[in-house]
Amino acid sequence: MALSSLLFSLLALVVALMALAITSEAGKIAIYWGQNANEGTLSDTCATGNYDYVNIAFLPTFGNGRTPMMDLSGHCDPYSQGCTGLSSDIEACQAKGIKVMLSIGGGAGSYSLSSNSDAKQVATYLWNNFLGGQSSSRPLGPAVLDGIDFDIEGGSNEYWGDLARTLKKHSSRGKSNKKVYITGAPQCPFPDAWLGNALKTGLFDFVWVQFYNNPPCQYTSGDISNLENAWKQWTSDIPAGKIFLGLPASSQAAGSGFIPANDLISKILSGILLHVIFANSRINNQTLKITAKMAGKLALSQALFLGSVILALLTRINAGDIAIYWGQNGMEGTLEETCATGDYDFVNIAFLPTFGNGQTPVINLAGHCDPYTNGCTGLSSDIKSCQAKGVKVLLSIGGGAGSYYLTSSEDARQVATYLWNNFLGGTSSSRPLGDAVLDGIDFDIEGGTNLHWDDLARYLSGYSKKGKKVYLAAAPQCPFPDAWVGGALKTGLFDYVWVQFYNNAPCQYSGDINNLENAWKQWTSDIPATKIFLGLPAAPAAAGSGFIPVADLTSKVLPAIKGSSKYGGVMLWSKYYDDQTGYSKSIKSHV
């Protein structure tokens, strides 16, 4: 093959792979729109197909008794209700699958919150005027926005967490029954001076960090170290759904921090594997696109390198995690040994099967230790060892056999208080697992009643504001909706949902993937969780039905479901059975 033909073929492959990488569910582009009348209409913006999120900028006046007011810089006049015509544009964007948020704050405005009550009032205003509530004077018309973006760059740093919590409570309420997405745009110096505390709540779905106009943490003259170090801190210390790299779309869009496309592709994306947000939609086409002109200038070595970078991106772009249940067989090894295998990203300690309705909570670890004599406190060092390896450890409550249910919202509150004080960040003189602080609570509810699990989730989630995020997980059965936690899952408070695709013939794999695939699509489209996992038995003996041979899982099932943005990986029951088959090791590179 001639060199020119080889180069052409390589470049064609690179362009195709880049298109796939950009449009993949795992890598998305967000844009701010509204601050330049020459940037085209909102409908035109969405019609380009370039963006997955649009932040309407800004609502720069609100809080502390101020009358809220929008400023869309020439697009329309909010004082005469002239922006209501944007409703059709918003709905056109949403019809294309684009999430549209209202950005509050901005670099120039008059905004602050004076109290928790003030935060609640602002949240009520936003709900009624832009989200799923009702008002006779909605500035953008009847369209229901997808969420609120916090671009807080002044005022004070107080009560933004309260605003986020109050807004989040509106998820799945109102006629639209939509999740309320919460996003933030902090500056890259860590922690952010304005939103630092609010971001610790774990309520933010997307955080687009502004890596520009901040020399200590932005890319400078070919040196990636400052940006990379800041990126690592943001992604390790902020419990958000996704972290985005915030960039100016041209050198004129910011005072500093613009990254040439070639540097972004070859140096930065290859190092941090992230998402991209651009600061100005008018000049977006100048960045992150391999045009024919650019491709023609690439040397063969550059093309090969770029191809390898993108292939690496694609290899990891949909990489999932493996969750395991541990605790129900004394022959499955210790918790510390479980984490030391390197096979698991989450371990659910199973179970706390007795609680609620005035019952004394009791943990049951089936031979590992005796909770009645405080014999399980020694697990504290194992838990800390797991967490030091980056493994999240959760307590699973419920199980297939137990005595548990909630009689009221107050009962749910009491159970949440018990869990907080005895397993999470609270204090108690009789912590069953010692002083280790677990990462969260897993709801494996398979009996009792279906009432008040949503209340329990809200109370537990509320503890995230006290410091360490409380992760919430659940293990529903695959028939949709789940008979026990179906209502709770609609709250949008669950971080991980490992759906049990076994012991349920109508929605499990049985040589034919159709039932499982259809159920998967319903779960990922209708449940507002951060990540959905495919729950499987790790061996044929681990369940009555639903075991999937490794070859079928890797060649048929995973390729069919991994395209979802909510794909999180695979959950296995259980560590004991995984030891017998080596299932996790066999699938890990494919998950």
Side-chain angles (χ1 to χ4, degrees):
M1 180 182 294
L3 179 60
S4 58
S5 297
L6 175 60
L7 178 58
F8 178 82
S9 298
L10 285 168
L11 290 175
L13 175 61
V14 167
V15 172
L17 291 174
M18 177 59 82
L20 180 57
I22 292 174
T23 59
S24 166
E25 288 289 349
K28 298 187 177 183
I29 297 178
I31 198 79
Y32 279 84
W33 175 92
Q35 287 299 292
N36 193 308
N38 294 318
E39 64 195 342
T41 68
L42 179 59
S43 180
D44 292 338
T45 297
C46 295
T48 64
N50 294 332
Y51 315 116
D52 304 279
Y53 307 93
V54 175
N55 295 314
I56 297 178
F58 293 106
L59 182 82
T61 305
F62 62 89
N64 198 24
R66 304 176 183 93
T67 299
M69 187 59 63
M70 292 198 72
D71 177 6
L72 297 185
S73 298
H75 282 286
C76 54
D77 180 9
Y79 292 91
S80 62
Q81 290 290 302
C83 297
T84 57
L86 286 174
S87 184
S88 59
D89 285 31
I90 293 166
E91 291 171 348
C93 291
Q94 292 170 329
K96 294 179 173 65
I98 298 169
K99 289 183 172 59
V100 184
M101 267 81 76
L102 171 68
S103 187
I104 62 173
S110 177
Y111 54 86
S112 61
L113 299 174
S114 59
S115 64
N116 176 272
S117 177
D118 191 20
K120 289 181 179 178
Q121 290 177 19
V122 170
T124 299
Y125 169 80
L126 294 171
W127 169 253
N128 286 329
N129 287 274
F130 298 98
L131 301 169
Q134 295 182 328
S135 169
S136 60
S137 57
R138 291 173 66 94
L140 301 179
V144 177
L145 295 181
D146 294 285
I148 302 296
D149 171 58
F150 289 43
D151 185 11
I152 307 304
E153 304 183 35
S156 79
N157 61 3
E158 296 185 303
Y159 306 110
W160 300 113
D162 295 318
L163 179 59
R165 278 187 283 272
T166 307
L167 284 170
K168 208 66 172 178
K169 289 179 181 178
H170 287 295
S171 280
S172 301
R173 295 181 180 177
K175 291 183 178 180
S176 63
N177 197 35
K178 290 173 63 170
K179 172 176 178 174
V180 176
Y181 288 89
I182 305 294
T183 70
Q187 309 293 312
C188 60
F190 189 92
D192 182 70
W194 309 108
L195 284 176
N197 290 329
L199 293 172
K200 293 179 182 178
T201 62
L203 296 173
F204 284 75
D205 299 282
F206 312 116
V207 176
W208 9 82
V209 184
Q210 298 183 42
F211 284 91
Y212 52 96
N213 293 335
N214 287 291
C217 48
Q218 69 188 30
Y219 177 79
T220 307
S221 302
D223 184 356
I224 192 178
S225 58
N226 286 347
L227 185 152
E228 190 171 22
N229 290 336
W231 173 262
K232 289 177 181 177
Q233 187 163 28
W234 278 98
T235 54
S236 62
D237 292 351
I238 293 300
K242 295 289 182 183
I243 307 290
F244 285 59
L245 177 71
L247 297 176
S250 81
S251 56
Q252 291 81 38
S256 62
F258 173 71
I259 303 177
N262 285 341
D263 288 1
L264 179 66
I265 295 168
S266 64
K267 297 178 181 179
I268 297 175
L269 291 183
S270 62
I272 62 178
L273 302 172
L274 38 67
H275 308 257
V276 181
I277 177 172
F278 292 107
N280 188 317
S281 64
R282 288 183 59 217
I283 42 183
N284 160 268
N285 288 335
Q286 296 179 14
T287 59
L288 200 64
K289 291 200 179 241
I290 299 181
T291 63
K293 184 176 181 180
M294 286 175 61
K297 294 181 178 179
L298 285 172
L300 176 59
S301 60
Q302 291 175 305
L304 287 169
F305 173 73
L306 182 55
S308 66
V309 167
I310 298 169
L311 283 171
L313 277 167
L314 291 174
T315 299
R316 294 176 56 186
I317 205 164
N318 279 328
D321 296 322
I322 296 180
I324 195 79
Y325 279 83
W326 174 93
Q328 285 301 292
N329 193 303
M331 304 299 292
E332 64 196 342
T334 68
L335 179 59
E336 183 177 20
E337 291 168 347
T338 297
C339 295
T341 64
D343 295 332
Y344 314 115
D345 304 280
F346 302 89
V347 175
N348 295 313
I349 297 177
F351 292 106
L352 182 82
T354 304
F355 63 88
N357 192 30
Q359 301 173 97
T360 299
V362 178
I363 198 167
N364 179 351
L365 297 184
H368 283 285
C369 53
D370 182 5
Y372 292 94
T373 61
N374 274 320
C376 298
T377 57
L379 286 174
S380 184
S381 59
D382 286 31
I383 293 166
K384 293 175 182 178
S385 174
C386 291
Q387 292 170 329
K389 293 179 174 65
V391 179
K392 287 185 173 64
V393 185
L394 290 76
L395 172 67
S396 187
I397 63 174
S403 175
Y404 56 85
Y405 61 98
L406 301 173
T407 58
S408 65
S409 175
E410 174 60 19
D411 191 17
R413 187 191 66 79
Q414 292 178 12
V415 170
T417 300
Y418 169 80
L419 293 172
W420 169 254
N421 286 330
N422 287 274
F423 298 98
L424 301 169
T427 56
S428 168
S429 60
S430 58
R431 291 174 66 94
L433 302 180
D435 63 357
V437 177
L438 296 181
D439 295 286
I441 302 296
D442 171 57
F443 290 43
D444 185 11
I445 307 305
E446 303 183 37
T449 77
N450 61 1
L451 301 176
H452 306 296
W453 301 112
D454 55 340
D455 294 318
L456 180 59
R458 290 189 187 96
Y459 286 124
L460 286 170
S461 181
Y463 283 114
S464 287
K465 66 184 179 182
K466 294 183 178 293
K468 182 177 179 180
K469 175 178 169 63
V470 176
Y471 287 91
L472 296 184
Q477 309 291 312
C478 60
F480 189 90
D482 182 71
W484 307 108
V485 292
L489 292 174
K490 293 180 181 178
T491 63
L493 296 173
F494 285 80
D495 301 283
Y496 311 112
V497 177
W498 10 81
V499 185
Q500 297 184 43
F501 283 91
Y502 53 96
N503 292 335
N504 287 289
C507 48
Q508 70 187 29
Y509 179 81
S510 55
D512 182 350
I513 195 176
N514 289 333
N515 288 347
L516 185 152
E517 189 173 16
N518 290 336
W520 174 265
K521 289 177 180 177
Q522 187 163 29
W523 278 98
T524 54
S525 62
D526 292 352
I527 294 300
T530 304
K531 292 294 179 184
I532 308 290
F533 283 62
L534 179 73
L536 298 175
S545 62
F547 175 74
I548 304 178
V550 170
D552 287 6
L553 179 69
T554 57
S555 66
K556 298 178 182 179
V557 179
L558 290 180
I561 68 173
K562 286 180 66 175
S564 169
S565 62
K566 290 185 180 178
Y567 170 77
V570 173
M571 175 276 282
L572 296 175
W573 176 268
S574 62
K575 172 60 164 55
Y576 171 76
Y577 291 105
D578 193 33
D579 285 345
Q580 313 310 306
T581 61
Y583 198 80
S584 64
K585 291 187 183 297
S586 299
I587 68 172
K588 189 171 181 64
S589 63
H590 300 275
V591 171

